[in-house]
Amino acid sequence: MSTFGDYLSDHANLPTYFDVVPAGNNGDELIRRGTLHALRRANVHMVDDPSEAQHIIVRGHGSFTDFYDSGALEEIEAHCQRFPNCKITIGPSTFAYDRVRADLVLSRCMNEIVWFARDRFSFDKLAELRQLCKVEPKLSDDCALELADSEYILE
């Protein structure tokens, strides 16, 4: 089991809502399916209504970069504002902001935020934020790799 999978197991009892960000490409779909597989394998208590959740999980992706401006960050901020008492976890993602001031957006979030990076560079960028806002960086493989032991992957 991955670091992300271990984390899910440790938080399996929290009512959890999985925010399925629409897939932009086939890789995003593999990440979505891998995340769902990891949630099922960890027996996470899932809810269909985010207002019933104590924990919101956002699918990891590669849009947390200057190329996409701050739109993906603003989605995280919107979750913080709508659900101020929820823990928020972002699945393994690329995080590569230089021009966009991620710290200014995320400092408005009072939620506990656990953010998984899928590479060392992204982890280091997230670690820089730890001093400025409530972000706990973690490192784990991309969730598409969670499918390795699933029926979705045919040999």
Side-chain angles (χ1 to χ4, degrees):
M1 189 176 290
S2 69
T3 303
F4 185 68
D6 292 340
Y7 172 85
L8 293 177
S9 292
D10 291 345
H11 296 84
N13 292 331
L14 287 177
T16 299
Y17 176 76
F18 178 43
D19 178 31
V20 184
V21 179
N25 58 47
N26 291 335
D28 290 336
E29 180 61 17
L30 288 172
I31 292 167
R32 184 189 72 79
R33 288 176 186 255
T35 304
L36 285 170
H37 183 67
L39 289 164
R40 285 187 207 106
R41 188 174 50 221
N43 294 314
V44 173
H45 175 107
M46 300 299 295
V47 295
D48 294 326
D49 182 349
S51 67
E52 298 173 3
Q54 295 176 16
H55 187 198
I56 294 176
I57 294 180
V58 177
R59 168 183 63 75
H61 53 81
S63 298
F64 296 108
T65 67
D66 287 328
F67 181 78
Y68 295 101
D69 205 30
S70 61
L73 281 173
E74 291 165 2
E75 285 184 38
I76 303 303
E77 181 186 17
H79 282 315
C80 293
Q81 291 173 355
R82 285 180 42 218
F83 308 106
N85 299 317
C86 281
K87 177 180 201 150
I88 297 178
T89 300
I90 296 95
S93 299
T94 298
F95 188 91
Y97 288 111
D98 287 315
R99 183 181 45 79
V100 172
R101 292 287 312 269
D103 60 317
L104 294 180
V105 176
L106 295 173
S107 67
R108 295 189 292 260
C109 295
M110 296 297 109
N111 308 59
E112 178 184 353
I113 300 174
V114 176
W115 202 310
F116 282 86
R118 60 185 179 183
D119 56 78
R120 176 56 70 181
F121 176 82
S122 296
F123 177 83
D124 291 344
K125 293 293 254 181
L126 285 164
E128 292 172 10
L129 292 176
R130 194 176 5 199
Q131 304 299 323
L132 305 169
C133 47
K134 296 174 78 172
V135 171
E136 179 186 349
K138 294 188 178 286
L139 184 64
S140 190
D141 290 328
D142 189 296
C143 279
L145 298 174
E146 296 287 341
L147 293 171
D149 69 346
S150 75
E151 294 178 9
Y152 185 73
I153 302 296
L154 301 175
E155 293 189 42

